[in-house]
Amino acid sequence: MARQLEEQIVGRFPVGRRLRVLDVGMGRGTQALRLARAGHQVTGVEQDATMIAAAREAFAGEPEGIRERMRIIEGHAGDTGVHFLPGSFDVVLCHGVLMDAEEPDALLAGMARMLAPGGLLSLLVRNGDAPAMRPGLSGDWAGALAAFCTTAYGLKRLTSTLAGIGAPLHTWYGVRIFTDTAPDDAAVPDDLDTLLALEDRAGRTDPYRGVAALLHLCGVRG
């Protein structure tokens, strides 16, 4: 996903431009820190105190110049309008948050308002078009059958929603196509570079991306 996001940023903004980035639901700050290291000004919004502490610990080990480009605001993902003016950011990230939001459409609309014209909205969501894949590949037949009754966001619905909030879909990728069934404590494979190359290739290739565990969607503010 980091490769995909970098591809979109490089293709949309002039080289060397310092972007204003908002990371909604920052978590441990992995993406925020990567973008700050690239020279961008990053603001993270996070409500979980444990995650904030982990992010601050990670940032503390960085050089002062990078730390100065980082800001953390403790708050809910849906409160962006409380903290920022419309059009305040060039890039807005919302990775792994939308699927747990009580009012996802309202959250999406609020984030779109934070974008300056031409700004990039990067979303990472569960793939509502293929919910049976993980339990099915894991041999959980009953779970796979039940998954057909779930109503998570799919590509068609998200495409319509993004168009309706003024940030129509520009491109999309699949994420975790061949690795979603790996346990959380699995050892990093020796051939990690080959695995990443495979996931990257499949994530932009039909029909593989359509059955990915996650979708990475990139909308552009009109």
Side-chain angles (χ1 to χ4, degrees), residues 9-18 40:
I9 288 175
V10 170
R12 175 146 299 278
F13 301 102
V15 176
R17 176 176 168 183
R18 180 173 292 185
H40 305 303

Side-chain angles (χ1 to χ4, degrees), residues 21 23 26 28-38 40-45 55-56 58-60 62-73:
V21 180
D23 190 351
M26 175 189 64
R28 297 178 179 274
T30 302
Q31 294 299 326
L33 181 54
R34 188 182 65 81
L35 291 168
R37 286 171 175 167
H40 305 303
Q41 195 75 33
V42 184
T43 300
V45 176
R56 292 192 188 282
F59 300 159
E62 296 295 316
E64 182 179 357
I66 294 177
R67 295 198 308 272
E68 289 176 346
R69 293 195 287 270
M70 295 294 311
R71 181 167 63 129
I72 299 175
I73 293 178

Side-chain angles (χ1 to χ4, degrees), residues 158-174:
L158 277 165
T159 300
S160 177
T161 301
L162 288 172
I165 62 175
L169 183 66
H170 173 67
T171 193
W172 66 280
Y173 308 88

Side-chain angles (χ1 to χ4, degrees), residues 194-218:
T194 303
L195 173 58
L196 290 174
L198 171 64
E199 285 282 345
D200 182 51
R201 178 69 178 270
R204 60 184 73 237
T205 303
D206 291 324
Y208 304 101
R209 63 176 181 167
V211 295
L214 305 171
L215 298 179
H216 180 199
L217 302 101
C218 298

Side-chain angles (χ1 to χ4, degrees), residues 45-66:
V45 176
E46 177 58 56
Q47 64 177 350
D48 188 300
T50 301
M51 292 292 185
I52 291 175
R56 292 192 188 282
E57 182 178 355
F59 300 159
E62 296 295 316
E64 182 179 357
I66 294 177

Side-chain angles (χ1 to χ4, degrees), residues 30-192:
T30 302
Q31 294 299 326
L33 181 54
R34 188 182 65 81
L35 291 168
R37 286 171 175 167
H40 305 303
Q41 195 75 33
V42 184
T43 300
V45 176
E46 177 58 56
Q47 64 177 350
D48 188 300
T50 301
M51 292 292 185
I52 291 175
R56 292 192 188 282
E57 182 178 355
F59 300 159
E62 296 295 316
E64 182 179 357
I66 294 177
R67 295 198 308 272
E68 289 176 346
R69 293 195 287 270
M70 295 294 311
R71 181 167 63 129
I72 299 175
I73 293 178
E74 185 172 357
H76 294 275
D79 292 341
T80 52
V82 175
H83 301 291
F84 316 110
L85 294 174
S88 296
F89 296 95
D90 304 300
V91 178
V92 174
L93 314 179
C94 185
H95 296 164
V97 176
L98 194 66
M99 50 272 259
D100 297 319
E102 293 183 2
E103 299 181 355
D105 288 352
L107 176 58
L108 275 172
M111 290 187 294
R113 284 193 292 271
M114 295 301 104
L115 284 169
L120 177 68
L121 177 61
S122 173
L123 305 173
L124 185 70
V125 301
R126 288 195 193 99
N127 184 1
D129 294 327
M133 289 299 295
R134 183 172 192 174
L137 292 173
S138 299
D140 178 7
W141 317 128
L145 189 60
F148 280 97
C149 300
T150 61
T151 56
Y153 267 115
L155 179 63
K156 184 176 180 179
R157 179 182 170 190
L158 277 165
T159 300
S160 177
T161 301
L162 288 172
I165 62 175
L169 183 66
H170 173 67
T171 193
W172 66 280
Y173 308 88
V175 176
R176 283 169 52 179
I177 297 164
F178 299 111
T179 57
D180 191 51
T181 57
D184 293 338
D185 59 352
V188 176
D190 294 334
D191 56 348
L192 178 60

